[in-house]
Amino acid sequence: MTTRRTFTLGAGFAAAGLVAAPAIAKAQTVSWRMVTSWPKRLPGPGMSAERIATRIRALSNGRLDIKLFAAGEIVPAFGVLDAVGNGVAEIGHTAAFYWQGKMPAAAFFTTVPFGLTPAEHVAWIEAGGGQALWDELYKPFGVKPFMAGNTGVCMGGWFRREVNSLADLKGLKLRSAGLGGEVYRRLGATPQTTPPSEILTGLQSGVLDGAEFVGPGTDIALGLYRAAAHYYYPGFNKPNGTGECIVSLKAWAALPDDLKAIVAHACATEANYALAEMERLNAQALAVLIKDHGVKLAAFPADLVSGARREADDVLGDLAARDAGSAKVYGSYKDFRDRVANWSRVSIE
């Protein structure tokens, strides 16, 4: 009888355990919201955000579940940093150079005119001290940054009329993000910080005379060819296109180590995959733009490029002089670029 009673009680406790297990598992699930700077499912950065959320969910077996929100669904495209830092969302997908008004050196972590190429940029971040500087720069804003996508070398931009010389830039209203916009301003244009989803309407309405965004694979999805037939290269203003995930420091600190590792791994995987994917998409889309949509592809005039190079040096120098943090980041970036330049020249050419 004792044996039977023991068995019965044991079975009862086991049954209770089976009933309680799902409740325990549910309590362990962490739910995050991801806000982004991109239209929903935008090829390139929009899809990077989506893949990161999916990858984290799969690798964590659902323990870290991320709900994705496109630009404007919770916060506007340029509100991602504040939203994550203030706890409106736990994670965001965006681009660092959108924050140069708050912290001038942020631009270095996306791209700068005539700066590091994608491979060189990754080397600086991962093996040249860049990540530590990035973490330090973002800490006062309550977020931790990760490379989390890359659109590769960008195009010079779309223009509603031909650009035959540097003088043709005078007075043009150009959508241009980051330090490239300041270079265009010094060349005589008027840069605009238009959100991605509003670029086409800006071109169609005449609010914009030209615009740069990313490369053919993303630009075609925004339909920019419908309003501007002239497509220029090289993308001296954005020779790299690193996308970032920013994670709330408070939310990050609350994660167990294995989930932290999963977030970091998902971002790193996307940084690598996105660059490969964009190479494919850019090649494919450029052919379609020229053949099917009559886009006129042309190189920028030589005097424009040489003028931009001169101005870029001054822009970076002026940025470095703004504050000690900017000088520190600039010094590291410039030193790495100088050291890698000879190898890049030999290995590429």
Side-chain angles (χ1 to χ4, degrees):
M1 190 160 179
T2 303
T3 302
R4 183 182 177 190
R5 186 170 184 270
T6 302
F7 175 81
T8 303
L9 288 173
F13 285 129
L18 289 173
V19 172
I24 293 171
K26 185 175 182 180
Q28 291 175 337
T29 299
V30 178
S31 296
W32 279 6
R33 300 200 296 180
M34 177 190 281
V35 291
T36 80
S37 295
W38 324 117
K40 189 180 292 291
R41 298 188 65 79
L42 177 70
M47 291 307 298
S48 281
E50 186 171 312
R51 285 190 295 260
I52 289 166
T54 299
R55 193 175 289 122
I56 289 172
R57 190 179 303 113
L59 291 173
S60 67
N61 196 27
R63 289 172 53 217
L64 180 50
D65 186 66
I66 296 177
K67 186 173 183 181
L68 184 68
F69 296 90
E73 291 185 333
I74 294 181
V75 297
F78 301 145
V80 173
L81 177 66
D82 287 340
V84 177
N86 295 333
V88 173
E90 291 77 21
I91 186 170
H93 195 277
T94 183
F97 60 8
Y98 290 153
W99 323 131
Q100 67 184 49
K102 297 176 181 291
M103 38 181 166
F108 286 100
F109 298 98
T110 300
T111 189
V112 299
F114 300 98
L116 299 174
T117 64
E120 293 169 345
H121 186 91
V122 171
W124 175 56
I125 294 293
E126 293 193 345
Q131 184 66 56
L133 293 172
W134 202 6
D135 289 340
E136 181 181 347
L137 184 69
Y138 277 36
K139 187 175 181 180
F141 295 87
V143 301
K144 177 174 176 56
F146 297 90
M147 289 189 296
N150 199 314
T151 51
V153 178
C154 298
M155 288 289 287
W158 299 87
F159 291 78
R160 297 175 65 196
R161 63 174 187 260
E162 288 187 52
V163 178
N164 295 311
S165 70
L166 174 58
D168 288 342
L169 282 183
K170 302 293 183 181
L172 294 187
K173 300 183 293 294
L174 301 180
R175 189 277 180 186
S176 184
L179 296 177
E182 176 60 17
V183 170
Y184 274 127
R185 188 187 69 78
R186 296 188 186 198
L187 292 176
T190 303
Q192 309 289 318
T193 55
T194 310
S197 62
E198 299 174 19
I199 298 174
L200 177 59
T201 55
L203 288 169
Q204 289 173 327
S205 66
V207 170
L208 297 175
D209 299 306
E212 56 83 5
F213 182 46
V214 184
T218 301
D219 291 357
I220 194 172
L222 290 181
L224 303 185
Y225 61 87
R226 299 175 190 168
H230 303 280
Y231 203 21
Y232 283 91
Y233 69 90
F236 63 81
N237 48 317
K238 290 163 64 177
N240 178 52
T242 294
E244 66 177 9
C245 258
I246 51 175
V247 179
S248 157
L249 285 174
K250 183 177 179 180
W252 179 253
L255 286 183
D257 288 345
D258 65 326
L259 290 185
K260 286 181 179 177
I262 285 172
V263 172
H265 176 75
C267 290
T269 299
E270 183 57 31
N272 182 63
Y273 176 80
L275 184 58
E277 175 71 350
M278 286 309 300
E279 285 295 298
R280 180 187 71 82
L281 286 176
N282 283 336
Q284 176 181 305
L286 184 61
V288 171
L289 286 167
I290 295 170
K291 181 180 178 181
D292 297 345
H293 299 297
V295 168
K296 299 170 184 177
L297 180 67
F300 274 131
D303 66 334
L304 189 157
V305 176
S306 61
R309 188 181 294 275
R310 288 193 301 272
E311 295 295 348
D313 289 339
D314 289 342
V315 166
L316 296 182
D318 290 347
L319 186 153
R322 292 184 65 172
D323 57 78
S326 295
K328 186 176 181 180
V329 173
Y330 170 73
S332 172
Y333 188 97
K334 183 178 184 300
D335 179 64
F336 191 86
R337 184 180 62 179
D338 292 345
R339 285 188 286 119
V340 80
N342 286 337
W343 167 242
S344 294
R345 190 176 303 114
V346 169
S347 61
I348 294 173
E349 296 178 1

